[in-house]
Amino acid sequence: MIKFFRKIRQRLLAKNKFSSYLVYAIGEIILVVIGILIALSINNWNQNRLDRNLEFQYYKRVLEDVKEEKLILEATINYSNQVIGHAKEAIAVFENSPNAHPDPVQNLIDMYQASQLQDSYSASSTYKELIASGQINLIQNEVLKTALIRFYEIEWTETGVFKLENTYRVNLRGKMPNEIQTEIRSNCNDIYVKSRGNYLTALPDACEITLAPHYARSVVEELRQDESLKKDLRYLIGNETGKQNDLKPIIIQLDDLKLLLENINND
């Protein structure tokens, strides 16, 4: 009987030891899980902090791009106005208008400058980086994200009259004597105006070339007889006017985007 009770006692002690071990093991597991959850929470908090900092940096960079874009658009319109000004002076010569400039050298300058082209580009480097890296999703403001996509995905430099062929340029430069074109290019070419981080192009307000008046007059008279040049020049004026009309709503859209970014950056 004594042996029987001893065995029962040993079993109870063993059971109590196992229960204590089990409680200890469960406590250890709970502590490990809590530690992992805390570590994950800290890591998520830190990652969110880094993401928000990066988001704020992108806001500032996009705002700088938008400001640069506005200057580019204004320079594009200014260049277009200069081309139209020369084209109107040239068309007066082709039409033998009494308002035409009396100096044949200036006539040739106007004819040539009316054929000038400006290479348009968009200040979209930050947006392209956001898209290429997939970090566009860092932008939490859905209104801003939508506005960015709607503006930059249009690519205004690739639309409308920007893609039309400049037939006047090809036509005139194939007929005006090369020595005259060289002289005009040397003295009347694009000028570069530094603006923020880039250089914007414009035509000089005035330029002088060395050319004998009688020779200039003979070339003007020969070009004036070409009806195709007159036709292409009218077409060019229409295109440049259409370009400016196309840019007006783009500038309004850009101003709205700029205001939205400024409000976010000031929050």
Side-chain angles (χ1 to χ4, degrees), residues 154-198:
I154 292 175
E155 295 188 9
W156 59 268
T157 59
E158 299 295 323
T159 61
V161 293
F162 284 92
K163 303 302 293 182
L164 292 176
E165 182 183 3
N166 190 329
T167 54
Y168 174 74
R169 177 185 176 92
V170 176
N171 197 354
L172 177 82
R173 297 193 179 193
K175 295 171 180 176
M176 181 178 283
N178 186 61
E179 63 271 18
I180 295 178
Q181 295 189 53
T182 301
E183 181 69 16
I184 296 174
R185 274 195 297 269
S186 299
N187 297 279
C188 313
N189 212 356
D190 286 352
I191 57 176
Y192 295 89
V193 181
K194 185 171 177 57
S195 174
R196 300 174 71 85
N198 291 315

Side-chain angles (χ1 to χ4, degrees), residues 85-264:
H86 288 291
K88 288 181 176 180
E89 291 291 336
I91 201 72
V93 176
F94 280 112
E95 293 177 345
N96 202 22
S97 168
N99 297 323
H101 199 288
D103 183 2
V105 175
Q106 183 60 46
N107 295 160
L108 291 173
I109 291 174
D110 287 325
M111 289 178 182
Y112 185 87
Q113 295 296 68
S115 74
Q116 294 282 32
L117 284 177
Q118 181 191 45
D119 292 328
S120 298
Y121 65 96
S122 176
S124 57
S125 58
T126 303
Y127 175 77
K128 289 179 179 178
E129 180 181 322
L130 284 168
I131 295 298
S133 64
Q135 291 180 320
I136 186 67
N137 292 320
L138 286 176
I139 306 298
Q140 292 189 319
N141 189 307
E142 292 298 326
V143 175
L144 173 61
K145 187 189 297 184
T146 300
L148 286 172
I149 293 172
R150 285 178 176 173
F151 180 80
Y152 283 110
E153 291 299 320
I154 292 175
E155 295 188 9
W156 59 268
T157 59
E158 299 295 323
T159 61
V161 293
F162 284 92
K163 303 302 293 182
L164 292 176
E165 182 183 3
N166 190 329
T167 54
Y168 174 74
R169 177 185 176 92
V170 176
N171 197 354
L172 177 82
R173 297 193 179 193
K175 295 171 180 176
M176 181 178 283
N178 186 61
E179 63 271 18
I180 295 178
Q181 295 189 53
T182 301
E183 181 69 16
I184 296 174
R185 274 195 297 269
S186 299
N187 297 279
C188 313
N189 212 356
D190 286 352
I191 57 176
Y192 295 89
V193 181
K194 185 171 177 57
S195 174
R196 300 174 71 85
N198 291 315
Y199 286 88
L200 304 176
T201 57
L203 290 173
D205 292 330
C207 61
E208 296 182 0
I209 64 173
T210 302
L211 195 65
H214 66 279
Y215 175 53
R217 187 172 292 103
S218 66
V219 174
V220 168
E221 288 302 320
E222 183 177 353
L223 294 174
R224 180 185 287 167
Q225 304 306 315
D226 194 321
E227 288 295 323
S228 66
L229 285 172
K230 187 191 303 183
K231 175 183 175 182
D232 288 343
L233 189 55
R234 290 198 187 102
Y235 187 63
L236 180 142
I237 293 173
N239 283 350
E240 289 299 322
T241 303
K243 179 190 295 183
Q244 295 187 20
N245 290 334
D246 286 350
L247 290 179
K248 289 177 182 178
I250 293 175
I251 290 178
I252 294 173
Q253 185 182 5
L254 186 64
D255 285 338
D256 291 342
L257 181 56
K258 179 174 175 287
L259 180 61
L260 179 59
L261 280 162
E262 286 176 339
N263 290 337
I264 292 174

